[in-house]
Amino acid sequence: MAVKIFFPTSCSAAENGLLIGRWMADHRSAVILAVLHFPFIPGNVKCYLAQLQQSTGLNLSVLGTWSYWKAEKDEKMQTFFDDLSSIFNHQPWLRIVRDTSSKFWDCNIERSGSEDQEEVILLYCDQRKLMLSELHFVTEKSEIASVFNTVAKSRPLFSLDKYDEGPVKLTHWQSDGMEASIIVELAKHVSFPLCTFLSLFASLLTNFFSARILSGKPLSFLWSKLSTCEQLGKRLEHLRLVTSTERAKDHTQFMRKSNTFVSLLLDMVLGVLLISWLYRENRIGQLANILLPVADRVALELQELLQWLMGAPAGLKMNKALDEVLGRFFMYHIHLWISYIRLMSPFIESILWYIGLSACLGLSLALSILSDIIALLTFHIYCFYVYGARLYCFKMHGLSSLWRLFRGKKWNVLRQRVDSCSYDLDQLFLGTLLFIILLFLLPTTALYYLVFTLLRLLVVVVQGVIQLTIELLNTLPFYAMALRLCRSYRLAAGVKFRMLEQQSGKPLRLLMQINPLSYGHVIQIYRLPTSQYYPKDSWGTLCKKLFIGELIYPWRQKGDKQD
C-alpha cells in the first residue's frame, strides 16, 4: 500500500530543514504543515512541539528532513541529516529531496528493521485554502476530512514564520508576512460598542412591542394579521442576532450571522434606493394622483360586472329574484367602498409619503406595507368572496345531505361516519321539495361564487408574489453565495486530483484541488430559517375546497393548526 504525503506548495522553495507535521497511521499518510529551518536546538524544538500539542490537540512531530539542493550535494550536510533521525526518532522517517537539476523529486521512507522501499505519492495542496475551507458531504473519519481538520487546527503553528524572533523559524503559507489590515483592526474595535448599542436598541423595541397593552386581545389579533408587523418582528430578531456580542461557536453559527448581516444590509440598501426613486421628481404625488382614477375605474368595472351578472350572463337562465337580491347586495358594498375611498382621498398623498419613509428600514418592510395596503384596498372583494363562498357552501352541504336522505343514509355526527337510516313519507316529501329548490337555485349562486373566487385568487396571486419576494430577501444566504462566487474554495464539497509528473522509480506527484459546492447546495445548506408563512394546502386539497365552497387561506402561520 502506498504512503501518501500531503505537501504544502508554499514550502516548495524552503531552505533545508525539518518537516513538521502529523502522521496518520490509520490512513498511512503524512500531513506536512511547515519546514523548520537551521539553526535550531533539538531541545527547543521538542518543547515547542509539546506546546503546540497542548494548544491544538494534535499529535504534531518531526516527520523527517527536507533538502533543497541548489548545487552539488554536501556530504557533511547529508551526514547531519542522517543523524537527525536518531535524535527525533519518528517512525517512519521521511526524506524528501528536491534537486534543481531535475524536475522530479525524490522521497525515501525509512522504517526500523525494514529495508523494502515503499511506494510514495506526493500530494501538493494549498494550506491557506485548506485552513479556510469548510468541508461538506465527507465523513469525519475519512482521510480527506482528517487532512482538512489537521490544517484547520494548526493555526497556532502559523503564528511564527522565518522572519520572527522565536525559538524556531518556520516556512508555511504565511511566510511572506502575516495578513493584517489597519481598516480591519479599526473595524473590530469600533464594532463592539456599536453592536452593544444596536443590541440594546433592539431589546428596547422588543420589550415595547411585547408590552401588556400591545399584547392584549384586540391588538394582538390585529398585529398577527398584518404582514408589516410580522416582518418588523422578523427583522428585530435578525438585528438582535447580528448585534450579539457572543462569538460564534462553530462554522454554522458564523455563517448564519454573516448571512443575516448581509441580508439586512442588502435589504436596507435596496430600501434606500427605493426612497431615492420615490422622492425624485415628485413621484409620490404622481402615484397619489394615479391611485384615485384607478380606484374609480375598478369600482366602475365591478359595477358593470354585477350588472352583467344581473342580466343573462353568457345566455344562461338565472333565477331572477335571487339574482336581483345578490346583485343589489353586492352593489351596495361597492358604493360603501367608493365612499370610503373618497373619504380617504385628501390624506392619500400624506399616507404614501410616510409609507415611503419606511423603506429606509428595508425593502422587505416596504413590500409588507404594500401587501397590507392591497389587502385593505381589496377588502370589498374579500367580502364578496366570503359571502358567495358561504352561500355556495351552504347549498352544497344541503344538497349532499338531501342526497343521502334519498338513499336511506344519514351523517352520524358522534361517530363521524355515514349510517343507514329509515325515513317516513313526510320526511321524504319535504326532503324532495328542498332538494329541488336548492338544485334550481344552485346555478345562480355558483356563478356569483365563481366570479368572485376568480377575483379573490387574482388578489392572492399578487400578494403571493410580494410575499415570495420578501421570503427571498429574508432567507437567501447572500453571504454564502458571495463566497461561492468570489472564494469558491471556502465552501468545499470534496477534492479532486490532477497528475503533475510520473516516472518509474520516482514518487507520483499529484495536485489536490478543492471541489466547491454547487449553488443549489449552498442555498440548501445555508438558507436562513423560513419566515412566518408557508403554503397550507396541496393542490389537490385546494381544488377540493374550491369545489365544495370552503374558504381558502393559502398562507398561514407556523403555529396554526390545520382546519
Side-chain angles (χ1 to χ4, degrees):
M1 186 176 179
V3 176
K4 297 176 286 297
I5 300 176
F6 294 87
F7 193 85
T9 55
S10 56
C11 297
S12 298
E15 300 293 337
N16 300 332
L18 299 178
L19 297 174
I20 307 297
R22 177 191 178 194
W23 172 256
M24 297 183 294
D26 297 339
H27 306 290
R28 289 179 57 83
S29 59
V31 181
I32 307 300
L33 298 173
V35 173
L36 192 148
H37 297 289
F38 299 116
F40 59 82
I41 301 175
N44 292 343
V45 175
K46 292 181 179 180
C47 292
Y48 177 69
L49 292 178
Q51 294 175 1
L52 287 178
Q53 290 179 5
Q54 292 180 357
S55 59
T56 61
L58 298 175
N59 187 18
L60 302 181
S61 58
V62 178
L63 300 180
T65 59
W66 159 256
S67 304
Y68 186 17
W69 304 110
K70 297 182 180 179
E72 296 182 357
K73 297 182 179 179
D74 189 353
E75 294 182 359
K76 294 182 179 180
M77 183 65 69
Q78 188 68 30
T79 305
F80 177 68
F81 281 166
D82 294 338
D83 296 336
L84 289 176
S85 60
S86 60
I87 297 176
F88 294 98
N89 194 22
H90 182 273
Q91 294 296 328
W93 185 258
L94 308 180
R95 287 190 176 186
I96 303 178
V97 179
R98 180 185 178 185
D99 193 348
T100 55
S101 62
S102 174
K103 65 178 181 179
F104 294 101
W105 291 25
D106 192 11
C107 180
N108 297 324
I109 298 179
E110 299 178 356
R111 295 181 183 270
S112 59
S114 176
E115 297 180 356
D116 297 334
Q117 184 68 23
E118 297 187 75
E119 184 181 355
V120 178
I121 300 178
L122 278 174
L123 300 168
Y124 294 96
C125 57
D126 190 331
Q127 276 186 339
R128 179 175 178 271
K129 292 182 178 181
L130 292 183
M131 187 180 64
L132 298 178
S133 297
E134 181 67 21
L135 196 60
H136 302 77
F137 307 132
V138 177
T139 58
E140 295 182 358
K141 296 183 179 180
S142 65
E143 183 178 11
I144 297 300
S146 299
V147 173
F148 274 76
N149 187 41
T150 300
V151 178
K153 288 185 176 180
S154 302
R155 289 178 180 267
L157 176 65
F158 303 139
S159 61
L160 292 177
D161 57 47
K162 60 184 179 181
Y163 300 108
D164 292 333
E165 295 293 335
V168 295
K169 294 184 180 298
L170 302 172
T171 293
H172 43 71
W173 70 275
Q174 290 199 118
S175 298
D176 294 332
M178 299 290 291
E179 291 187 348
S181 173
I182 298 178
I183 299 177
V184 173
E185 294 300 324
L186 290 176
K188 289 181 180 179
H189 289 288
V190 174
S191 62
F192 182 79
L194 180 62
C195 289
T196 304
F197 172 75
L198 292 177
S199 179
L200 179 61
F201 177 71
S203 62
L204 289 176
L205 287 179
T206 304
N207 294 332
F208 172 76
F209 285 109
S210 61
R212 183 175 298 179
I213 298 177
L214 297 178
S215 60
K217 194 61 178 281
L219 291 179
S220 63
F221 175 79
L222 181 62
W223 301 148
S224 63
K225 298 303 178 184
L226 291 178
S227 177
T228 304
C229 296
E230 296 292 339
Q231 179 60 24
L232 187 59
K234 189 72 177 179
R235 282 311 188 192
L236 280 176
E237 292 180 6
H238 289 171
L239 186 61
R240 294 185 65 179
L241 174 64
V242 170
T243 57
S244 175
T245 56
E246 297 181 1
R247 290 181 62 90
K249 298 179 181 179
D250 51 16
H251 175 76
T252 303
Q253 291 187 1
F254 171 76
M255 292 298 293
R256 184 180 177 185
K257 255 190 173 184
S258 302
N259 287 321
T260 304
F261 173 74
V262 175
S263 176
L264 278 171
L265 183 63
L266 181 63
D267 193 16
M268 295 184 66
V269 169
L270 293 176
V272 172
L273 292 177
L274 178 62
I275 289 177
S276 64
W277 181 82
L278 285 176
Y279 291 96
R280 190 184 305 162
E281 300 178 1
N282 194 24
R283 288 192 174 93
I284 292 290
Q286 296 175 7
L287 289 175
N289 294 332
I290 293 174
L291 188 60
L292 284 178
V294 169
D296 293 338
R297 182 63 181 176
V298 171
L300 181 61
E301 294 291 340
L302 286 176
Q303 288 178 347
E304 293 179 355
L305 177 62
L306 288 175
Q307 291 174 359
W308 178 71
L309 292 175
M310 292 170 65
L316 297 176
K317 183 66 175 177
M318 311 292 289
N319 185 282
K320 187 174 181 180
L322 180 60
D323 194 12
E324 191 75 18
V325 171
L326 292 177
R328 290 184 176 180
F329 177 73
F330 292 128
M331 195 75 74
Y332 176 71
H333 279 74
I334 292 178
H335 288 302
L336 289 178
W337 183 69
I338 293 176
S339 301
Y340 167 72
I341 294 297
R342 293 297 180 185
L343 181 64
M344 295 295 296
S345 59
F347 311 101
I348 287 179
E349 185 173 355
S350 300
I351 294 174
L352 291 178
W353 195 86
Y354 287 109
I355 290 175
L357 286 179
S358 65
C360 64
L361 299 177
L363 178 63
S364 59
L365 189 65
L367 291 177
S368 300
I369 295 176
L370 177 62
S371 179
D372 291 335
I373 290 176
I374 292 176
L376 292 175
L377 293 180
T378 59
F379 184 71
H380 58 299
I381 295 178
Y382 174 74
C383 292
F384 295 164
Y385 164 70
V386 171
Y387 298 151
R390 289 302 185 189
L391 186 59
Y392 176 78
C393 184
F394 168 75
K395 291 188 177 181
M396 291 296 293
H397 281 289
L399 288 173
S400 62
S401 299
L402 294 173
W403 178 250
R404 287 194 292 267
L405 182 143
F406 296 148
R407 296 183 294 123
K409 306 287 184 179
K410 73 171 184 178
W411 175 255
N412 192 328
V413 180
L414 296 179
R415 298 188 177 183
Q416 295 293 310
R417 68 182 186 184
V418 178
D419 295 334
S420 299
C421 182
S422 58
Y423 298 96
D424 54 22
L425 187 61
D426 293 339
Q427 290 175 332
L428 290 174
F429 175 75
L430 182 60
T432 304
L433 183 62
L434 291 176
F435 182 81
I436 293 174
I437 293 174
L438 292 178
L439 183 62
F440 281 100
L441 293 179
L442 182 63
T444 303
T445 307
L447 183 61
Y448 277 88
Y449 168 70
L450 176 63
V451 171
F452 293 130
T453 300
L454 292 177
L455 292 176
R456 171 61 180 166
L457 289 178
L458 179 62
V459 176
V460 167
V461 167
V462 174
Q463 289 184 304
V465 172
I466 296 175
Q467 189 66 37
L468 179 61
T469 306
I470 298 173
E471 180 84 1
L472 293 177
L473 289 173
N474 287 337
T475 61
L476 276 183
F478 294 105
Y479 177 74
M481 294 172 66
L483 277 184
R484 173 61 181 84
L485 180 63
C486 303
R487 297 287 187 271
S488 59
Y489 60 86
R490 293 288 299 273
L491 307 175
V495 297
K496 60 183 177 181
F497 300 96
R498 182 168 62 89
M499 188 174 67
L500 298 177
E501 294 175 352
Q502 184 179 16
Q503 187 184 25
S504 60
K506 297 292 184 179
L508 175 63
R509 296 172 62 188
L510 301 177
L511 178 63
M512 187 174 72
Q513 297 174 329
I514 294 178
N515 269 335
L517 281 175
S518 63
Y519 286 99
H521 283 118
V522 170
I523 296 176
Q524 180 181 358
I525 294 173
Y526 295 107
R527 188 180 181 92
L528 294 172
T530 184
S531 62
Q532 299 295 327
Y533 297 98
Y534 66 98
K536 175 182 179 180
D537 298 318
S538 62
W539 287 106
T541 306
L542 183 62
C543 293
K544 180 181 177 181
K545 286 188 174 184
L546 288 174
F547 178 75
I548 63 178
E550 290 187 14
L551 295 179
I552 55 170
Y553 298 98
W555 303 94
R556 71 181 179 92
Q557 292 187 6
K558 283 187 176 182
D560 295 348
K561 298 181 179 179
Q562 296 280 1
D563 293 338

